[in-house]
Amino acid sequence: MVEEHFDVLTKSGEKTGLSKPRSKVHQDGDYHRAVNVWIFVESTQELLLQRRSVDKDSWPGRWDISSAGHISAGDPSLISAQRELEEELGIKLPKDAFEKLFVFLQECVLNDGKFINNEFNDVYLVTVLHPIPLEAFTLQKKEVSAVKYIPYEEYRNLLAKKDPGYVPYDLNGYGKLFHIIRQRCQVNTEARSLSLQKQLQRYSPVTLEANLTELSEADQKALGLIMKAAKVIDDIFYEQLWHSNPALRDWLKEHANASELDKLKWKYFLINKSPWSSLDENEPYLTTADSAAKFLPEATKPIDGWKGLEYRAAFPLSKPPGGNFYPPDMDKMEFTSWLSSLTEEQKRAATGFFSIIKRRSEANLDASLSDHLPDSTENSDLYSSPYSEIYQPFLTKASELLHKAGDLVTSQSLKKLLHSKAEAFLSNDYYESDIAWMDLDSKLDITIGPYETYEDEIFGYKASFEAFIGIKDDKATADLKLFGDNLKLLEDNLPLDSVYKSKDVSAAPIRVIQLIYNSGDVNGPQTVAFNLPNDEKIVKERGTSMVMLKNVQEAKFEHILKPIAEIIISKEQRGFVDFESFFTHTICHECCHGIGPHSITLPDGRTSSVRKELQDVYSAVEEAKADIVGLWALMFLITKGLLSKSMEESMYVSFLAGCFRSIRFGLTEAHGKGQALQFNWLYEKGAFFFHEDSTFSVDFTKIEDAVESLSREILTIQGRGDKNAATLLLNKYCTITGPLKTALEKLESVKVPVDITPTFPLADALLN
């Protein structure tokens, strides 16, 4: 019999790339990985324990975790947890039953030093609504001799007393398990409702509408179809955030009227579109105890009089950095190792915007998926699957709706966009549809598809689906032609060494719209503008286009920026904060996404892109770049006489007020990170001044040089593709410093809204 091999880890838990036989690992005391799976019964507040077989080489005959086992070399954690539960107890559960709570390091020496256990345990919780009958278990006799239920507090007390009948665990580390369970069992409904009310109060409700009288009757009919397609896009995005997220959404909606607390949960979920709060560093405001109950009659062997197992669809306490784009237990080393084995074409698919990374082992557990596995000669468990396959039912429906709308609309450019986007949903090739989007010249303005990569916090590769539907504001669009026309001039004069400057920069068309509906990747803070596409090939060939959401910007200025200025900006400079400066800087921000380094040449001669080199830190750095270079660009245009000099003071003071608006989004969010970097740099350079009355002002003698120095720093990092330098810059400046903390607490105390939450009466009427 071949002995099982384990991956050897460092003392901090990273893979070394080596593997060794089980006996050698425990003989040498190597660090390795295992899974712990706890079954918790919600109705009785009990944990399931198993008695270890008397033949085990560690803790024989003692009561232990519901199910546990080593992770074999190369195996994923979650699949190992599923396998161990099925092998040891005969329970077969899908991945959404497993909630990863934490990693626990167990270090002990047994059997007179012959068995050294240095083990990183991935601790999972499976929450069942009612006890599984003991006779429903199928025990693996060589591993498990018996099972029993025990109240979780009683079990904790036995561990605290070091009862010899139970495998010992250090409660300093493993105590997290009992703390988490206790929090869920002892809910203070009133306190929880109050907490959710406070979280909701940070969003100011606004109604967004626009005049449809300039749309033809056919366009208005098409609008209803387009909105229905956008609703489908919303369904895809829910799935992209987390695999059990759609079930959670449906459960919360179904139970929204059960109590005041349930109503608040649903309202806050509609804003965040997930159980993690965007404005609270993605801290969870829900737990698996709030989640959907699922019935699984065939999870165990059948028992007379028992209908089957019910469990809670789980989600982790920490928001997965890779969303549902990657396996939840995949690490960077595994992905990088797999990538190195692929052909260039396969690499492009794996790191491209429009694919999801899956596990063969997971598909093999699901007969419905195994027939769709791609052929492979690789040893890796990972494979890439295109969006067109993963989201086929959704995209087929959206495609049909867009084709029907495309047949109706009168604008030829909109007709081309709708038909090409409908085809892209099914082909997974978005090139032509993105070109059609850039060429759009229509009163009815549509952006729909997978674009931004903020939700992929591992590499920043994967695009989330979103939709923005608006009515074009022709006058405002004409007024802004200046910025697109001068994009090449801005590129040529960037504070950056010439070697890093782009040679081919196209003027970025700017469209101003009044938003009437959005969906998909619009959770938490609302977008005021966007600059697309993100495809480096198109950016290189054609540049980018941008869309400004004027009514969203007006709402944010009135409800948020003006109140912030009243509290945070010194009396002498408060009058400089105006909508024109706020709006104009937003335009420049979006313009500046299109200039600076994109496609780059690395020191070793390889060609790459800033996005691929900076990976997970790209979004924050790019947002900071667009912001600070946008401020530099405004000053440059003023010096060239292209903008009025009267804007100089107002643009800097409005920018200062805007810093607090964005930082309040949180330092886990790209815009918040980027803004903290800028604020702290400019404050360090003396460009911002903090007064004794806890207000701020701009030092107009220092601000221009400080803005230019940070612009140069960020642009140079991007030009070099220097991820290490980017990480160091973010680590140093993305912090809540003393003055910043004082200001944020002041805004919190007077309850200035952090953002808006829009309602769309027109969309509601058309969709219902």
Side-chain angles (χ1 to χ4, degrees), residues 697-713:
S697 61
V698 175
D699 185 333
F700 296 119
T701 67
K702 296 179 179 178
I703 184 74
E704 188 175 347
D705 287 343
V707 166
E708 182 168 328
S709 67
L710 181 55
S711 298
R712 181 180 296 277
E713 180 77 13

Side-chain angles (χ1 to χ4, degrees), residues 365-439:
L365 288 174
D366 187 337
S368 66
L369 295 177
S370 58
D371 292 339
H372 300 286
L373 278 172
D375 295 332
S376 175
T377 56
E378 310 153 26
N379 294 322
S380 176
D381 191 30
L382 302 177
Y383 70 96
S384 171
S385 190
Y387 283 1
S388 54
E389 288 183 14
I390 295 293
Y391 307 122
Q392 185 178 23
F394 297 117
L395 291 173
T396 300
K397 184 178 178 182
S399 178
E400 290 170 356
L401 289 164
L402 292 187
H403 271 310
K404 288 178 182 177
D407 290 339
L408 289 172
V409 296
T410 52
S411 162
Q412 289 304 306
S413 64
L414 180 56
K415 188 182 291 286
K416 183 177 180 181
L417 169 65
L418 294 173
H419 284 308
S420 62
K421 190 65 71 174
E423 290 164 10
F425 283 166
L426 304 184
S427 69
N428 217 52
D429 182 354
Y430 286 87
Y431 182 87
E432 292 299 331
S433 69
D434 280 345
I435 295 295
W437 178 83
M438 294 183 74
D439 292 338

Side-chain angles (χ1 to χ4, degrees), residues 281-526:
E281 313 291 335
N282 287 323
E283 283 294 310
Y285 61 94
L286 299 174
T287 73
T288 294
D290 300 305
S291 192
K294 289 193 171 183
F295 179 59
L296 208 59
E298 299 176 355
T300 68
K301 65 184 179 186
I303 298 295
D304 289 341
W306 185 58
K307 292 182 179 179
L309 181 150
E310 279 187 282
Y311 71 93
R312 292 284 182 193
F315 51 85
L317 292 172
S318 298
K319 184 182 180 186
N324 200 19
F325 298 117
Y326 307 92
D329 50 5
M330 185 202 82
D331 58 32
K332 284 188 175 183
M333 177 181 280
E334 181 184 12
F335 182 85
T336 305
S337 175
W338 168 61
L339 207 62
S340 66
S341 70
L342 303 181
T343 64
E344 288 305 311
E345 185 178 348
Q346 289 171 329
K347 284 179 184 176
R348 280 194 293 273
T351 60
F353 292 121
F354 316 124
S355 67
I356 279 182
I357 310 304
K358 309 279 281 184
R359 288 197 182 282
R360 297 174 192 282
S361 51
E362 185 179 309
N364 289 333
L365 288 174
D366 187 337
S368 66
L369 295 177
S370 58
D371 292 339
H372 300 286
L373 278 172
D375 295 332
S376 175
T377 56
E378 310 153 26
N379 294 322
S380 176
D381 191 30
L382 302 177
Y383 70 96
S384 171
S385 190
Y387 283 1
S388 54
E389 288 183 14
I390 295 293
Y391 307 122
Q392 185 178 23
F394 297 117
L395 291 173
T396 300
K397 184 178 178 182
S399 178
E400 290 170 356
L401 289 164
L402 292 187
H403 271 310
K404 288 178 182 177
D407 290 339
L408 289 172
V409 296
T410 52
S411 162
Q412 289 304 306
S413 64
L414 180 56
K415 188 182 291 286
K416 183 177 180 181
L417 169 65
L418 294 173
H419 284 308
S420 62
K421 190 65 71 174
E423 290 164 10
F425 283 166
L426 304 184
S427 69
N428 217 52
D429 182 354
Y430 286 87
Y431 182 87
E432 292 299 331
S433 69
D434 280 345
I435 295 295
W437 178 83
M438 294 183 74
D439 292 338
L440 181 63
D441 183 13
S442 164
K443 194 67 183 175
L444 185 55
D445 198 278
I446 310 297
T447 302
I448 188 167
Y451 284 108
E452 303 291 5
T453 62
Y454 301 125
E455 291 297 334
D456 177 3
E457 295 175 20
I458 297 181
F459 294 110
Y461 292 155
K462 306 303 174 189
S464 299
F465 278 84
E466 62 188 1
F468 294 89
I469 301 172
I471 305 300
K472 187 178 176 185
D473 185 326
D474 292 315
K475 181 182 183 305
T477 298
D479 289 345
L480 301 179
K481 191 169 180 291
L482 162 77
F483 295 94
D485 289 348
N486 286 285
L487 208 60
K488 183 68 168 67
L489 179 67
L490 292 173
E491 176 74 40
D492 290 343
N493 288 277
L494 283 173
L496 175 69
D497 290 348
S498 297
V499 68
Y500 300 123
K501 290 181 182 178
S502 298
K503 302 296 183 288
D504 303 310
V505 176
S506 302
I510 305 172
R511 309 197 293 263
V512 181
I513 68 169
Q514 303 290 344
L515 184 70
I516 55 174
Y517 187 60
N518 65 13
S519 66
D521 189 7
V522 291
N523 53 322
Q526 291 292 301

